[in-house]
């Protein structure tokens, strides 16, 4: 006999260990199906999912038969072979991906964003061993950025609430300040703000001793840490500092990669040449788990330098050999190209930001910021003090939106007492009328919760 809805709810509560929940306080949501931008829960209620799967990854929307068919065909032909060998989808996907990333040269496939970043860190450490006598081992990360959930990626996490309770951490990771203009320590109207924020990296590198620093890792636009677009000139100065001190620049495109901000990669908005680029969530629009660590030819060669026994990258990821994943990723890229989705991300992103800016008339909406379909709304107690609106109220706004059939995300378990930012990141196919629904629903929810 099949389970009733209530049986499923009971079983879920009893047996399933949920990850960070998006809307605490509500009964557990059980999602059963999706089509385009919409999902249905176990009670048949439909929602416009403005989170692309809760964590910004079902970028081309739900129900894409082309991807499902590509996966099914590949599984029938060859489901798996260890990635120490080549496979046809792996070859085709890597060639296509590199064509979207001028200057980048080699694709290393694994499964998750955390894993892709771990590979990047291992590369930095190995190059330090092979070229710098092990001295250039430190990796600098930025406050508010997130790079993953393993102990070592948490060692490079700029969100204190995510790190709490998991130390001691891997040595050799050092933080430098975030570049959030809305809460800038510099006076309003400070010229060259981007450069000033970036110089904070130089201060830390000098303090640590440049001979001991091997790399810096940055999200191109901070995502989970509150949607932070760096001010003009930021990345140019970061690049200059990297060149000056011989640092590898790792760009974490786990959220922004594959079109989320209107270009194939977030770093392509800026004048910057990364040495290593990592990506995950949207690589196959989450139809299959796949992540990539992409390097320049120079990084690839440096891993083979020295002629000693470490002269190759000693890393293997079993599920990097799941062949249907690159097949899904290739189909995903074709969909984005054929449906001109980058153009839609830019146009709808601008329209969404304009709509959300209309909400700045609320006394508690302090800032609206973002790029493409990655937009954030920062809530405050009042605009003068910019004191963070208590988290319970932000949760209540999300809940009031969900009640009206629209799901949005928020900074969650990131900054104790400062989780005050709602994010909106729908699938790339969104239309103007659907943007209108999101903005109108948020307006109503703010009024309901905050009066
Ligand atoms: C910028 C960034 N990097 C890395 C990760 C880790 O990815 P994963 O959860 O696939 O390990 C995330 C996850 O949210 C992320 O937002």
């Amino acid at each position: 006999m099949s389970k009733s809805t209530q049986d499923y709810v009971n079983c879920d509560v009893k047996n399933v260990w949920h990850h960070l929940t998006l809307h605490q306080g509500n009964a557990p949501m059980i999602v059963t199906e999706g089509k385009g931008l919409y999902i249905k829960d176990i009670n048949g209620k439909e929602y416009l999912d403005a989170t692309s799967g809760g964590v910004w990854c079902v970028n081309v929307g739900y129900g894409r038969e082309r991807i499902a068919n590509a996966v099914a065909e590949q599984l029938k032909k060859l489901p798996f072979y260890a990635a120490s060998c080549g496979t046809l989808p792996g070859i085709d996907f890597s060639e296509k991906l590199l064509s979207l990333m001028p200057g980048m040269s080699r694709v290393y496939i694994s499964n998750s964003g955390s894993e892709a970043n771990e590979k990047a860190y291992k590369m930095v450490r190995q190059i330090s061993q092979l070229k710098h006598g092990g001295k250039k081992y430190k990796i600098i990360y930025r406050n508010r950025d997130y790079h993953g959930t393993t102990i070592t990626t948490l060692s490079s996490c700029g969100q204190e609430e995510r790190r709490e309770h998991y130390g001691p951490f891997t040595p050799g990771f050092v933080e430098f300040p975030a570049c959030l203009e809305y809460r800038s320590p510099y006076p309003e109207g400070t010229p060259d703000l981007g450069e000033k924020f970036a110089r904070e990296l130089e201060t830390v590198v000098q303090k640590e001793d440049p001979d001991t620093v091997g790399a810096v890792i940055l999200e191109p636009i901070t995502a989970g840490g509150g949607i932070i677009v760096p001010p003009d000139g930021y990345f140019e100065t970061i690049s200059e500092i990297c060149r000056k001190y011989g640092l590898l620049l790792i760009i974490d495109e786990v959220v922004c990669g594959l079109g989320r901000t209107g270009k194939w990669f977030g770093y392509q908005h800026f004048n910057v040449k990364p040495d290593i680029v990592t990506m995950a969530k949207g690589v196959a629009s989450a139809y299959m788990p796949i992540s990539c660590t992409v390097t320049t030819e120079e990084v690839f060669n440096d891993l083979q330098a020295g002629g000693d026994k470490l002269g190759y990258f000693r890393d293997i990821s079993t599920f990097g050999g799941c062949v249907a994943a690159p097949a899904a990723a290739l189909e995903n890229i074709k969909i984005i190209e054929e449906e001109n989705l980058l153009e839609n991300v830019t146009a709808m992103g601008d329209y969404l930001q304009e709509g959300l800016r209309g909400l700045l008339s609320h006394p508690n909406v302090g800032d609206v910021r973002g790029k493409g379909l990655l937009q954030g709304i920062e809530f405050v107690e009042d605009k003068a003090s910019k004191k963070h609106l208590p988290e319970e109220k932000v949760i209540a706004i999300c809940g009031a939106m969900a009640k009206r059939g629209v799901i949005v995300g928020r900074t969650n378990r990131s900054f104790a007492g400062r989780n005050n930012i709602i994010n909106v990141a729908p699938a790339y196919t969104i239309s103007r009328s659907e943007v209108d629904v999101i903005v109108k629903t948020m307006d109503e929810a703010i009024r309901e919760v905050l009066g």
Side-chain angles (χ1 to χ4, degrees):
M1 218 176 80
S2 64
K3 287 191 184 76
S4 70
T5 299
Q6 194 53 48
D7 290 339
Y8 270 113
V9 172
N10 295 345
C11 243
D12 183 71
V13 170
K14 185 163 171 284
N15 299 328
V16 183
W17 193 334
H18 289 213
H19 300 196
L20 290 176
T21 48
L22 285 176
H23 301 286
Q24 295 106 311
N26 296 346
M29 180 163 169
I30 298 173
V31 186
T32 53
E33 58 190 283
K35 186 84 193 157
L37 268 89
Y38 298 89
I39 54 167
K40 269 193 189 153
D41 71 13
I42 196 164
N43 300 309
K45 180 173 162 84
E46 190 174 76
Y47 301 83
L48 190 167
D49 175 14
T51 66
S52 301
V55 285
W56 323 320
C57 46
V58 189
N59 291 346
V60 296
Y62 301 99
R64 289 287 189 168
E65 282 197 16
R66 280 178 64 173
I67 304 182
N69 290 340
V71 168
E73 288 309 310
Q74 187 54 48
L75 289 178
K76 285 185 263 177
K77 215 182 281 168
L78 178 74
F80 178 87
Y81 207 87
S84 41
C85 295
T87 62
L88 303 186
I91 295 165
D92 286 341
F93 163 66
S94 299
E95 182 185 36
K96 181 71 196 171
L97 182 66
L98 290 172
S99 76
L100 310 175
M101 308 178 75
M104 304 309 288
S105 183
R106 302 278 176 163
V107 181
Y108 194 98
I109 296 177
S110 55
N111 310 125
S112 70
S114 305
E115 204 186 353
N117 286 327
E118 287 265 359
K119 312 292 184 214
Y121 298 164
K122 284 178 77 174
M123 289 174 187
V124 173
R125 292 278 164 96
Q126 186 167 331
I127 290 171
S128 166
Q129 293 281 338
L130 293 179
K131 282 185 76 182
H132 311 289
K135 263 188 92 182
K136 256 175 135 33
Y137 67 94
K138 291 180 190 163
I139 296 171
I140 316 285
Y141 65 93
R142 188 173 52 189
N143 181 249
R144 283 185 169 261
D145 279 3
Y146 178 77
H147 302 296
T149 187
T150 61
I151 294 292
T152 294
T153 50
L154 277 182
S155 308
S156 62
C157 179
Q159 303 177 5
E160 72 274 357
E161 212 180 343
R162 293 281 166 112
R163 291 165 65 106
E164 215 181 345
H165 305 312
Y166 299 112
F169 294 103
T170 310
F173 290 87
V174 185
E175 185 171 296
F176 84 106
C179 60
L180 175 55
E181 198 168 348
Y182 181 63
R183 295 186 181 278
S184 168
Y186 303 102
E188 215 181 315
T190 298
D192 304 323
L193 188 63
E195 183 185 343
K196 287 210 165 51
F197 275 127
R199 290 281 165 216
E200 312 256 18
L201 170 65
E202 187 163 31
T203 306
V204 170
V205 171
Q206 284 174 343
K207 187 163 154 266
E208 291 295 321
D209 175 2
D211 288 346
T212 68
V213 182
V216 57
I217 181 162
L218 295 169
E219 291 184 62
I221 293 168
T222 302
I227 319 289
I228 303 169
V229 184
D232 290 347
Y234 184 80
F235 268 108
E236 285 76 0
T237 307
I238 294 283
S239 293
E240 181 213 305
I241 295 166
C242 287
R243 280 195 301 274
K244 185 167 165 192
Y245 298 103
L247 315 183
L248 294 172
L249 177 57
I250 307 167
I251 300 285
D252 177 342
E253 293 275 352
V254 169
V255 174
C256 296
L258 281 301
R260 172 59 55 198
T261 64
K263 291 197 186 272
W264 283 110
F265 292 91
Y267 74 84
Q268 293 169 346
H269 289 285
F270 312 112
N271 186 14
V272 65
K273 284 198 174 69
D275 299 289
I276 303 176
V277 178
T278 60
M279 63 195 78
K281 296 180 188 284
V283 174
S285 277
Y287 279 74
M288 291 295 283
I290 177 170
S291 66
C292 307
T293 308
V294 181
T295 76
T296 59
E297 193 65 9
E298 200 179 338
V299 167
F300 181 75
N301 286 334
D302 281 349
L303 289 163
Q304 302 182 318
D308 68 6
K309 69 179 171 44
L310 289 180
Y312 57 95
F313 187 43
R314 290 190 298 161
D315 187 274
I316 181 162
S317 172
T318 297
F319 288 147
C322 287
V323 194
L330 190 58
E331 207 58 33
N332 179 55
I333 293 175
K334 283 187 194 159
I335 289 173
I336 296 173
E337 282 182 333
E338 286 168 23
E339 297 183 12
N340 295 318
L341 292 182
L342 295 186
E343 285 82 346
N344 198 53
V345 170
T346 303
M348 289 304 106
D350 288 349
Y351 184 60
L352 174 62
Q353 187 172 84
E354 190 188 313
L356 294 173
R357 282 192 174 281
L359 304 180
L360 283 163
S361 56
H362 288 281
N364 303 98
V365 178
D367 195 25
V368 170
R369 53 186 185 247
K371 217 177 226 340
L373 289 173
L374 185 63
Q375 298 289 333
I377 304 98
E378 175 149 3
F379 288 86
V380 290
E381 291 250 19
D382 65 84
K383 292 187 199 225
S385 74
K386 295 189 182 172
K387 220 171 142 229
H388 302 80
L389 191 72
E391 187 167 0
E392 312 80 70
K393 293 197 175 152
V394 181
I395 293 171
I397 295 170
C398 294
M401 290 188 74
K403 195 175 69 185
R404 289 169 169 80
V406 176
I407 296 184
V408 291
R410 63 180 187 86
T411 39
N412 192 4
R413 314 267 161 91
S414 299
F415 314 103
R418 294 179 291 131
N419 288 310
N420 66 330
I421 297 154
I422 286 184
N423 51 64
V424 183
Y428 300 173
T429 48
I430 193 166
S431 64
R432 281 173 79 91
S433 60
E434 287 163 328
V435 169
D436 292 339
V437 169
I438 295 171
V439 173
K440 183 169 167 285
T441 307
M442 190 172 296
D443 189 15
E444 288 169 10
I446 294 170
R447 284 174 204 284
E448 179 187 314
V449 174
L450 302 174

